[in-house]
Amino acid sequence: SQQGEEDPQALSIQEGENATMNCSYKTSINNLQWYRQNSGRGLVHLILIRSNEREKHSGRLRVTLDTSKKSSSLLITASRAADTASYFCATEGQGGSEKLVFGKGTKLTVNP
Amino acid sequence: ETGVTQTPRHLVMGMTNKKSLKCEQHLGHNAMYWYKQSAKKPLELMFVYSLEERVENNSVPSRFSPECPNSSHLFLHLHTLQPEDSALYLCASSQLSGDYGYTFGSGTRLTVV
């Protein structure tokens, strides 16, 4: 399975601190994506990194990808209480498969 | 609103009922998906429609029946469900042939009693 596995399962930090979440996967990928989900709602696409990219930035988000280790990290800098949510990584496999496979997610709590 | 609209937002149904979940997107996407999200489990892909043809059916029980009448609409017909089918059902859409993310709806919270 190419399912992503996020680490840690839960993370609690203070506002202003940085939050780092990690994701590992098992097979070759076309791209890796990070999503955010507020409680009981739909997922929101945050950022996509292609297999030939190593780092990508979007606002306070920084994503890295290490295909040799089959791992990715999501860094949220200067966190805010509004960043409290669950964060999921998802992988799109190679070979024309369009489906995304999601991990179980990291539940981030940012305390004011 | 994300551009993907799911109705209803909440649904309570008995095990002998028949109901349908509806998903609509006006983003011009050409692929649509149903996912199931249960507590403490990863999102499970149920069905994929690519260019209005079903291309994936992940061993989903026949009590779930999808329908995609056109590229903008996706339905999930439900009948004789079990309590373990209670979950958040998420619809998503995407544009094929490009590195684009999925756009998700807000989901339907289904409770089977």
Side-chain angles (χ1 to χ4, degrees), chain B residues 3 13-14 19 22 24 30-31 38 50 64 69 72 80 86-87 99 102 105 110-111:
Chain B
M13 60 186 288
K19 297 286 184 183
K22 180 182 176 182
E24 188 172 349
N30 51 16
S38 306
S50 173
F64 295 92
S72 299
T80 59
S86 298
D99 286 335
Y102 286 15
L110 173 67
T111 304

Side-chain angles (χ1 to χ4, degrees), chain A residues 52-66:
Chain A
N52 61 354
E53 296 176 312
R54 291 297 165 258
E55 187 171 314
K56 205 160 183 179
H57 297 253
S58 176
R60 293 184 295 113
L61 306 181
R62 174 177 166 250
V63 169
T64 63
L65 179 65
D66 186 337

Side-chain angles (χ1 to χ4, degrees), chain A residues 11-17 79-82 84 108-112:
Chain A
L11 179 61
S12 182
I13 60 173
Q14 295 299 123
E15 213 166 20
E17 294 180 339
S79 63
R80 306 165 181 167
T84 295
L108 173 67
T109 302
V110 182
N111 301 298

Side-chain angles (χ1 to χ4, degrees), chain A residues 3 30-31 33 35 37 40-43 45 48 50 88 92 98-104, chain B residues 9 33 35 37 40-43 45 56 88 90 96-97 99-102 104-106 109:
Chain A
Q3 183 180 71
N30 190 38
N31 65 62
Q33 303 175 32
Y35 288 78
Q37 183 181 34
R41 303 297 297 268
L43 281 73
H45 180 253
L48 179 152
R50 297 181 179 86
F88 296 86
E92 181 181 293
E98 297 292 343
K99 62 181 182 180
L100 282 184
V101 179
F102 286 80
K104 292 183 180 180
Chain B
R9 291 291 305 276
Y33 314 83
Y35 279 86
Q37 188 177 33
K40 299 182 180 179
K41 292 173 79 173
L43 270 78
L45 178 64
E56 186 94 19
L88 181 67
L90 292 163
L96 297 173
S97 302
D99 286 335
Y100 305 107
Y102 286 15
F104 280 83
S106 297
R109 172 68 63 185

Side-chain angles (χ1 to χ4, degrees), chain B residues 75-93:
Chain B
F75 295 90
L76 188 62
H77 303 299
L78 316 171
H79 66 97
T80 59
L81 294 192
Q82 304 298 312
E84 60 265 28
D85 297 322
S86 298
L88 181 67
Y89 288 84
L90 292 163
C91 172
S93 68

Side-chain angles (χ1 to χ4, degrees), chain A residues 8-24:
Chain A
Q9 290 188 350
L11 179 61
S12 182
I13 60 173
Q14 295 299 123
E15 213 166 20
E17 294 180 339
N18 295 342
T20 300
M21 288 159 271
N22 302 297
C23 170
S24 60

Side-chain angles (χ1 to χ4, degrees), chain A residues 67-82:
Chain A
T67 52
S68 66
K69 294 181 180 177
K70 291 186 168 57
S71 67
S72 172
S73 67
L74 171 68
L75 168 68
I76 303 174
T77 60
S79 63
R80 306 165 181 167

